Amino acid sequence: MAETNKIDPVSKSPKVKFLSIKRIWILLFLMILAVAAVIGYIKFPGVFKCKWLSGKPVEQDKDLFKSSSEISYIMTLGKSGKDKGQFDRPKFIAVDKDGFIYAGDTGNNRIQKFDSNGKFIREWNSAGEGESLTGIFGLAVADNGNVYVTSRHNIIKYDANGRFLKKWGNIGTQGGGNFNNWANGIAIDNDGNVYVGDPNNSRIQKFDADGNFLTAWGSRGDKKEQFNMPYGITADGNGNIYVADTFNHRIQKFNSNGKFVSELGNRGKEVGQFVQPYGLAVDGNGNVYVTDSMNDRVQKFDSKGNFISQWGILGAKDGRLNFPCGIAVHTDKKSSRKYIYVADCNNNRIYKLTPGSPLHAEGVGAGTAGISVSSGEKTVGTDSESKTTNYIYGKVLNIEGKAIPDVTLKFSVEDGTERARSYTDRDGIYKSKELPFGIYRVKVWEERYQPKIKNIKIEEGPPKEYNFRLSRWE
């Protein structure tokens, strides 16, 4: 905006006065910022909508496994890439009796082997007879350590170190050992028999450990004993065979000879429903785990098909799933602890999980300063210079016994007459103020969990431990 009512005394021409350039830039900047905020709020509300915990802003979306009462996170294997320990669409996973992990790295046409802590051991892509793997469509490990892989129309057998042993299979639509373009899911029973999905022929084929054909069952359709693209297969300890009848959106259960036993599920998003179930695993108690791939979740059922739990939500951030495919369950021989492995295919990673709530306070004890309880082994260490200061302390641990960071719980102590402060912590470690000997009422809680209250005694001698397990609100 300009004014022309004044004359320049030097040039005798009208003088034009403009608004300050600085002011114009400030106005433009504020207008752009306001428009960006409105657009961002509409398109990306999760970025702008935050809530506050303990005086710090926290994103509204929470990590899946830290907010789930059904599963605890242990570790993640891999990321996108071609190097050792990296993946390109890892669709299949198997774990042997000693806890070694085998990953079918589908896009990189190789098998990778890791130890139970995720350390890379070796890789291979030989298909025998001078050929290389071209596509990986199934993976299983026998009790003797032999590894079986389906690639194209072949079943390939290796030892535990990836040394080629044998392969069988041909292209065909009829007859044992023939597959229509490709063989898919594979499972090994306790007797070493091999079950293979033949999706384009809508059947399951059964072989002995050396590849000799035994039997087959199935035809195309949606009735009992019929299939529409059978993908995942697993066997339980009683010889029952579970088949992911993927495009019929259900699970079928058979005995070892292919006789129909029962079925579970139909198309949908409710519990007990599926959209393209892909991978299957059974634990030692007969519980069945299903990767419900297009619903981006895992569902768990008992051996009779009764729903137990589920977890999963679509996303790429840590703790989310994007088309989960393979799944395996392994029980550690030493600790008897159960682990669940999920191939998060489109996020190019594998999760190691364990059943149970990750949010519980354990090792809450009463003792003297310098005495601490380690995560898991419960070893006690003492600082002799600090023995006279008493307090109540605790750690928030997952089932693995490791402290969970970024968890906000409240921990309060009451002695009957005076309420002590509430203590919150984001590193999973809590300690009260100095307290004299006596009995204290301790309460531990979190917004999503029901509080637990116990009486804890501080007295002379070694610390005592009190475990708090928090249950989610119904």
Side-chain angles (χ1 to χ4, degrees):
M1 187 174 181
E3 298 175 351
T4 58
N5 58 339
K6 294 184 180 180
I7 302 297
D8 188 331
V10 177
S11 63
K12 306 298 182 181
S13 61
K15 182 178 180 181
V16 180
K17 185 171 80 173
F18 290 89
L19 290 177
S20 166
I21 297 297
K22 183 177 180 181
R23 290 181 181 178
I24 293 173
W25 279 113
I26 290 173
L27 287 172
L28 286 173
F29 175 77
L30 291 174
M31 291 172 65
I32 292 170
L33 188 62
V35 172
V38 171
I39 294 173
Y41 183 84
I42 294 171
K43 294 184 68 176
F44 310 105
V47 176
F48 289 86
K49 293 167 66 177
C50 295
K51 64 180 181 178
W52 293 77
L53 295 175
S54 301
K56 296 181 180 180
V58 180
E59 286 189 22
Q60 191 175 35
D61 291 334
K62 294 187 178 294
D63 181 281
L64 166 65
F65 302 126
K66 288 176 184 174
S67 64
S68 169
S69 64
E70 309 297 343
I71 204 74
S72 295
Y73 170 85
I74 303 297
M75 69 177 182
T76 300
L77 282 75
K79 62 180 181 179
S80 179
K82 297 182 179 180
D83 293 337
K84 295 175 182 178
Q86 296 180 340
F87 302 114
D88 181 1
R89 288 165 292 137
K91 288 187 176 180
F92 307 98
I93 189 166
V95 182
D96 68 18
K97 63 181 181 180
D98 296 316
F100 289 101
I101 305 162
Y102 300 82
D105 189 5
T106 305
N108 288 322
N109 293 305
R110 64 183 174 181
I111 305 299
Q112 296 195 63
K113 181 177 180 179
F114 304 84
D115 69 14
S116 59
N117 295 315
K119 181 181 178 181
F120 175 84
I121 297 176
R122 61 176 50 87
E123 64 179 354
W124 68 87
N125 72 340
S126 169
E129 301 172 0
E131 297 181 351
S132 298
L133 291 172
T134 305
I136 299 169
F137 303 110
L139 174 64
V141 181
D143 286 343
N144 62 6
N146 289 332
V147 180
Y148 293 79
V149 175
T150 54
S151 178
R152 297 186 298 175
H153 54 273
N154 295 130
I155 296 93
I156 308 169
K157 180 180 178 180
Y158 307 89
D159 68 13
N161 295 316
R163 184 172 66 91
F164 172 81
L165 299 177
K166 187 174 185 176
K167 74 176 176 181
W168 68 90
N170 296 292
I171 295 177
T173 58
Q174 297 179 352
N178 292 325
F179 297 89
N180 190 351
N181 291 329
W182 82 90
N184 209 307
I186 187 168
I188 318 295
D189 68 16
N190 288 340
D191 296 323
N193 296 311
V194 182
Y195 301 81
V196 183
D198 184 5
N200 282 339
N201 284 327
S202 302
R203 63 179 180 173
I204 305 300
Q205 297 194 53
K206 178 181 177 180
F207 305 87
D208 67 18
D210 293 319
N212 298 305
F213 176 78
L214 299 177
T215 189
W217 70 89
S219 60
R220 186 171 180 82
D222 58 6
K223 309 299 184 191
K224 292 189 302 185
E225 302 178 31
Q226 293 184 326
F227 302 107
N228 186 356
M229 292 293 175
Y231 280 0
I233 306 177
T234 194
D236 68 16
N238 297 318
N240 295 306
I241 308 302
Y242 295 82
V243 179
D245 187 7
T246 300
F247 284 89
N248 280 328
H249 313 287
R250 64 182 178 182
I251 309 301
Q252 295 197 64
K253 181 179 178 180
F254 304 88
N255 70 13
S256 60
N257 294 316
K259 182 179 179 181
F260 177 83
V261 176
S262 62
E263 67 176 43
L264 167 66
N266 52 56
R267 185 183 179 94
K269 296 184 178 181
E270 302 300 322
V271 296
Q273 295 183 319
F274 310 104
V275 179
Q276 296 181 21
Y278 204 101
L280 293 168
V282 180
D283 66 22
N285 297 321
N287 297 313
V288 182
Y289 301 78
V290 184
T291 54
D292 187 5
S293 63
M294 295 300 288
N295 283 326
D296 302 295
R297 64 182 176 181
V298 175
Q299 296 195 63
K300 178 182 177 182
F301 305 87
D302 66 19
S303 59
K304 296 180 180 179
N306 298 308
F307 174 81
I308 297 176
S309 63
Q310 65 173 333
W311 63 90
I313 188 170
L314 174 63
K317 66 181 289 188
D318 291 344
R320 302 297 180 92
L321 296 170
N322 188 347
F323 198 76
C325 292
I327 187 167
V329 180
H330 172 255
T331 300
D332 183 77
K333 292 184 293 186
K334 293 182 179 179
S335 66
S336 297
R337 182 169 292 144
K338 187 185 300 178
Y339 296 104
I340 304 165
Y341 298 82
V342 179
D344 186 13
C345 181
N346 286 349
N347 284 325
N348 299 304
R349 61 193 174 196
I350 293 169
Y351 287 120
K352 181 179 180 180
L353 313 167
T354 192
S357 169
L359 282 178
H360 60 276
E362 283 203 2
V364 175
T368 58
I371 297 179
S372 62
V373 180
S374 69
S375 59
E377 295 300 322
K378 301 180 180 177
T379 342
V380 174
T382 305
D383 178 355
S384 59
E385 296 181 358
S386 309
K387 285 185 177 179
T388 56
T389 307
N390 302 298
Y391 59 86
I392 295 174
Y393 60 89
K395 296 181 181 180
V396 179
L397 309 174
N398 62 16
I399 303 298
E400 184 76 354
K402 297 179 180 178
I404 303 175
D406 298 324
V407 173
T408 300
L409 296 184
K410 293 182 179 180
F411 169 63
S412 71
V413 181
E414 183 179 334
D415 63 6
T417 58
E418 178 184 0
R419 173 176 286 277
R421 293 178 298 168
S422 291
Y423 305 92
T424 61
D425 193 87
R426 298 196 61 79
D427 295 320
I429 300 173
Y430 304 79
K431 187 173 74 172
S432 74
K433 66 179 183 180
E434 296 180 14
L435 297 167
F437 289 157
I439 297 175
Y440 296 85
R441 185 172 180 265
V442 176
K443 179 180 178 182
V444 180
W445 78 100
E446 202 265 351
E447 60 178 359
R448 294 160 297 177
Y449 290 77
Q450 300 179 46
K452 282 289 181 69
I453 300 173
K454 290 188 179 183
N455 290 328
I456 288 180
K457 186 176 184 180
I458 297 181
E459 58 186 351
E460 195 168 349
K464 296 180 180 179
E465 292 189 6
Y466 304 81
N467 292 328
F468 290 72
R469 287 185 177 271
L470 307 185
S471 301
R472 291 180 75 96
W473 292 103
E474 297 296 335

